[in-house]
Amino acid sequence: MISENVKNILSELSTGNPYGEKVTLVAATKTRTPEEINEAISAGVTDIGENRVQEFTEKYDLVHGAARHFIGHLQTNKVKYLIGKTDLIHSLDRFELADELQKRSEKAGWTANCLLEINLGNELSKSGFSIDSAKEAYERAIKYPNLRICGFMAMLPISEDEKYLRSLCLCMREIYDTIKARDENVRVLSMGMSGDYRLCVECGSNMVRLGTHIFGPRAYNLK
Ligand SMILES: *Cc1c(COP(=O)(O)O)cnc(C)c1O
């Protein structure tokens, strides 16, 4: 079932987005076993993303052949476990975290690839910068010598109003385009989960994070 799901999704995404870009599939692997994750990789998944540092660490050596993303809320006291081990951190959502990432990365002689997390609906339950402060956050974040800002990770609000969601995504894409035009490190717009990825890709996402759509419903609910 996992293999079939992966093949279907990869085939669907293979046409890219309307902006002529390839769309990367990141398998969101929280609560999934290493066996399930390896099955997804065998079926063609090239990138996987964990939400919690403990799960990231526990599964690290048991999963093979994929780029490692970190997509969940990151506590500053857990940053040290990701240094040198992750290809892209999607959840840079505050400068306290940037400070800690800088400190640890510099010590290790490493550069942390990061996306600035944007809370598109300004929901209190979600972290991240507001869309209005995205450019300002970017300007400040690029000053950290050991962080490489590769783009944005946008979280959509929960809403049935497709027109509203579309307008938020397009607004995010516009900001992404403006910054991308002058910074060659900026090449990722991570936007879209199982419930909304089609809309997100239509509006210019070039990276989607899918859990349920690949692996089925989660047995228990984790953020
Ligand atoms: C769990 C999670 C996903 C995937 O969610 P699904 O609805 O299962 O596709 C994507 N992004 C983040 C940050 C997540 O925590």
Side-chain angles (χ1 to χ4, degrees):
M1 201 61 211
I2 293 174
S3 298
E4 206 178 309
N5 291 344
V6 168
K7 285 182 178 141
N8 288 337
I9 297 163
L10 286 175
S11 142
E12 185 190 335
L13 295 177
S14 67
T15 48
N17 69 18
Y19 295 70
E21 297 163 338
K22 177 180 179 290
V23 178
T24 301
L25 170 64
V26 177
T29 52
K30 58 179 176 272
T31 78
R32 313 301 177 175
T33 65
E35 291 72 28
E36 291 174 301
I37 301 168
N38 284 323
E39 184 180 340
I41 295 169
S42 301
V45 161
T46 55
D47 294 71
I48 60 172
E50 278 291 346
N51 275 71
R52 296 172 138 207
V53 172
Q54 193 181 336
E55 265 189 86
F56 179 93
T57 306
E58 281 169 5
K59 295 177 201 169
Y60 193 83
D61 291 325
L62 303 173
V63 171
H64 310 284
R68 311 297 173 114
H69 299 234
F70 190 82
I71 63 176
H73 184 69
L74 181 53
Q75 291 171 259
T76 45
N77 65 350
K78 302 259 173 78
V79 162
K80 54 179 179 277
Y81 302 110
L82 297 184
I83 299 300
K85 293 197 148 187
T86 175
D87 297 283
L88 187 61
I89 296 170
H90 291 226
S91 44
L92 181 52
D93 58 359
R94 62 198 191 281
F95 284 100
E96 182 203 10
L97 177 59
D99 292 342
E100 179 68 11
L101 274 167
Q102 169 57 35
K103 193 179 96 189
R104 297 276 175 184
S105 299
E106 188 177 351
K107 225 185 225 170
W110 187 67
T111 300
N113 291 324
C114 298
L115 303 179
L116 288 165
E117 183 174 340
I118 307 298
N119 181 356
L120 281 182
N122 287 325
E123 292 168 296
L124 292 174
S125 61
K126 295 192 175 111
S127 54
F129 299 98
S130 71
I131 194 146
D132 295 331
S133 67
K135 276 183 195 160
E136 208 181 295
Y138 162 80
E139 297 294 350
R140 188 169 158 193
I142 53 171
K143 298 201 173 98
Y144 289 82
N146 291 70
L147 304 189
R148 183 181 294 117
I149 305 303
C150 303
F152 299 93
M153 187 263 250
M155 299 289 274
L156 259 64
I158 296 167
S159 166
E160 296 291 315
D161 186 348
E162 204 182 298
K163 229 172 115 185
Y164 169 61
L165 293 176
R166 205 173 279 277
S167 71
L168 289 175
C169 290
L170 289 171
C171 181
M172 183 69 249
R173 176 71 204 200
E174 212 174 292
I175 292 172
Y176 169 75
D177 275 335
T178 308
I179 293 173
K180 179 178 167 252
R182 52 174 235 245
D183 184 345
E184 61 179 18
N185 287 330
V186 171
R187 61 198 148 73
V188 177
L189 180 53
S190 167
M191 188 163 72
M193 312 188 357
S194 292
D196 55 25
Y197 76 96
R198 289 194 178 99
L199 176 125
C200 289
V201 168
E202 273 175 43
C203 298
S205 165
N206 57 31
M207 186 175 279
V208 294
R209 311 174 308 272
L210 306 185
T212 313
H213 209 50
I214 295 177
F215 300 104
R218 279 181 286 280
Y220 56 101
N221 244 347
L222 280 178
K223 256 197 163 174

